[in-house]
Amino acid sequence: MKYGGIGLLGFVLLSLGCAGVLDPTTSELEDNLEKWHSAGIESYRFRFQRLCYCISVEALTVEVVNGEIVSATVATTGEQPHEAVADHVLTIDDFFAEIQDAIDRNAHSLTVEYHGTLGYPTEVDIDYDENVADEEMSYRAGELAELN
């Protein structure tokens, strides 16, 4: 069955204008936050990387116990990261807060990938302002393992 281009376009535009339609990013965030909370993981180890123009960051191995960071070491060497790097390490809950902040601040661009089962963000790319260079921020998380 063929649909008229103008009729379908009108329907799409009308649908977008309806009040109460959730932003897909907000809905996706809520769904994955629920997955993460349902998993009940409070203590875990994961690989973390922050990418931006402000500092060069190697991947870190981060340990979180009861929601608090207890250690962060350079993944390849096991050494302590530079203090400027250590000050910007995030927990998984912090990742969700960064995403919510980008939504609340109406970031120009927000791209997020989530872990299929546990729901935690594995890749977050934020560009707050299209007209500002070098303020973009990216985060990576992976290899998450629950600590006993």
Side-chain angles (χ1 to χ4, degrees), residues 35-74:
K35 280 184 190 178
W36 175 245
H37 286 155
S38 293
I41 300 173
E42 291 291 324
S43 299
Y44 53 91
R45 176 184 302 115
F46 75 108
R47 189 176 193 108
F48 167 85
Q49 190 167 20
R50 178 176 183 239
L51 310 164
C52 66
Y53 289 101
C54 48
I55 54 176
S56 176
V57 180
E58 293 184 274
L60 304 176
T61 299
V62 179
E63 288 194 7
V64 177
V65 175
N66 296 323
E68 299 293 325
I69 296 171
V70 295
S71 73
T73 57
V74 176

Side-chain angles (χ1 to χ4, degrees), residues 11-148:
F11 174 76
V12 170
L13 292 175
L14 180 61
S15 296
L16 291 174
C18 292
V21 175
L22 283 178
D23 177 279
T25 306
T26 300
S27 176
E28 194 174 37
L29 171 66
E30 291 170 352
D31 291 347
N32 284 288
L33 185 58
E34 176 62 31
K35 280 184 190 178
W36 175 245
H37 286 155
S38 293
I41 300 173
E42 291 291 324
S43 299
Y44 53 91
R45 176 184 302 115
F46 75 108
R47 189 176 193 108
F48 167 85
Q49 190 167 20
R50 178 176 183 239
L51 310 164
C52 66
Y53 289 101
C54 48
I55 54 176
S56 176
V57 180
E58 293 184 274
L60 304 176
T61 299
V62 179
E63 288 194 7
V64 177
V65 175
N66 296 323
E68 299 293 325
I69 296 171
V70 295
S71 73
T73 57
V74 176
T76 56
T77 66
E79 297 174 355
Q80 295 296 313
H82 186 277
E83 186 177 327
V85 172
D87 289 343
H88 296 284
V89 177
L90 303 178
T91 65
I92 297 301
D93 287 328
D94 293 335
F95 268 77
F96 283 110
E98 287 288 321
I99 296 164
Q100 185 63 61
D101 180 63
I103 293 169
D104 292 346
R105 290 173 53 188
N106 198 25
H108 166 69
S109 173
L110 171 63
T111 305
V112 183
E113 291 186 24
Y114 295 92
H115 186 274
T117 306
L118 298 176
Y120 69 88
T122 57
E123 293 187 23
V124 179
D125 298 305
I126 305 169
D127 182 1
Y128 286 100
D129 190 331
E130 177 182 25
N131 299 314
V132 176
D134 301 342
E135 49 69 62
E136 298 87 357
M137 191 67 60
S138 295
Y139 302 100
R140 302 292 180 263
E143 302 174 24
L144 189 138
E146 187 170 11
L147 298 175
N148 294 324

